[in-house]
Amino acid sequence: MKKKPIYLWVLLIFSALLSAMSLFGIISPVPTAESMGNIETSGVDATYAKELIAYTIKAAEHGHSIINIILVILSAILVVVALIFLVRKNIQLANYTYISYVLLAILGSIYNFVGVQDALSLFTDPNVRMGAELGAKGSAIFGIVLNVIFLAIVFYKIWQQQKELTESQEEELV
C-alpha cells in the first residue's frame, strides 16, 4: 500500500498561500507620499514620519523591481506545477519541482534583504535604523530557516521513499 504524500500537500498549500500573498504584493500599487500623508497627522514626529514614508516607498519600489517580479512569478509557477504533479500522483517530479521552488524562495529572501539595505539608510535616527535593520534581518533569517526546514523535510522524504523502493525491489528478487 502506497503512502500518501501528506507532507508535500501541506508544504505546497502553505507555499501556495505565500506565493499568492507575494503575487498580491507585486500587483498592488507602490504607495505615494500623498497616499501616505495621514501618517504625518497621526501624532508621530514629523521627521520620523517623512523618513518612514520614504522608507516604505523605497521598499515597495524594490518589491516591484523586475527581478523581484520574475522571482515571484517563477515561484508561483513552480508551486502550481508541483501541485499538478502531485494531483497526477507523480510524487518524484512534484518533489523535485518543490525543491526548485524552495531554492528560488531562498534566493528571493536574500534578494529582498539586500534590496531593503538601501532603504534603511533613509532613517537618520540610529535607533530607528537599527530597529528596522533588525526587522529586515529577522525576516530574512526566518524566511531562509523556514525554507531550509522545508527543504530538509522533502530531502528526508525522498531518501525514505528511495529506501522503501530499494527494499521492495530486493524483496521481489528473493
Side-chain angles (χ1 to χ4, degrees):
M1 182 172 141
K2 272 189 149 182
K3 294 180 182 176
K4 294 184 180 184
I6 296 172
Y7 72 97
L8 198 53
W9 279 108
V10 171
L11 293 175
L12 278 169
I13 289 170
F14 184 66
S15 297
L17 291 171
L18 291 174
S19 289
M21 290 187 329
S22 296
L23 281 170
F24 180 73
I26 63 171
I27 292 172
S28 63
V30 175
T32 61
E34 295 80 32
S35 68
M36 297 183 67
N38 60 352
I39 290 177
E40 293 177 3
T41 61
S42 65
V44 178
D45 178 40
T47 304
Y48 173 70
K50 288 179 184 175
E51 291 173 355
L52 183 60
I53 290 170
Y55 170 80
T56 303
I57 292 170
K58 182 104 172 163
E61 287 172 349
H62 172 73
H64 284 77
S65 69
I66 190 72
I67 294 172
N68 196 54
I69 291 172
I70 290 170
L71 287 172
V72 168
I73 291 172
L74 280 176
S75 68
I77 290 170
L78 285 172
V79 168
V80 169
V81 169
L83 281 168
I84 291 170
F85 284 140
L86 192 55
V87 168
R88 291 184 177 178
K89 296 187 176 21
N90 192 336
I91 310 303
Q92 186 176 10
L93 281 177
N95 280 326
Y96 293 144
T97 306
Y98 188 73
I99 288 170
S100 301
Y101 162 78
V102 170
L103 294 174
L104 190 67
I106 291 171
L107 182 67
S109 292
I110 294 168
Y111 176 75
N112 286 328
F113 173 73
V114 170
V116 167
Q117 297 306 305
D118 285 340
L120 289 172
S121 65
L122 296 171
F123 291 115
T124 56
D125 183 2
N127 292 329
V128 173
R129 185 181 315 121
M130 185 175 71
E133 191 172 345
L134 284 174
K137 284 180 183 175
S139 175
I141 290 170
F142 178 75
I144 291 170
V145 167
L146 187 66
N147 282 306
V148 167
I149 290 170
F150 289 173
L151 198 59
I153 290 169
V154 174
F155 276 134
Y156 173 75
K157 289 297 189 174
I158 289 174
W159 173 76
Q160 196 175 37
Q161 291 165 359
Q162 188 62 39
K163 184 178 168 186
E164 289 172 4
L165 180 66
T166 304
E167 289 173 357
S168 69
Q169 287 175 348
E170 288 174 357
E171 288 175 4
E172 289 176 4
L173 293 175
V174 174

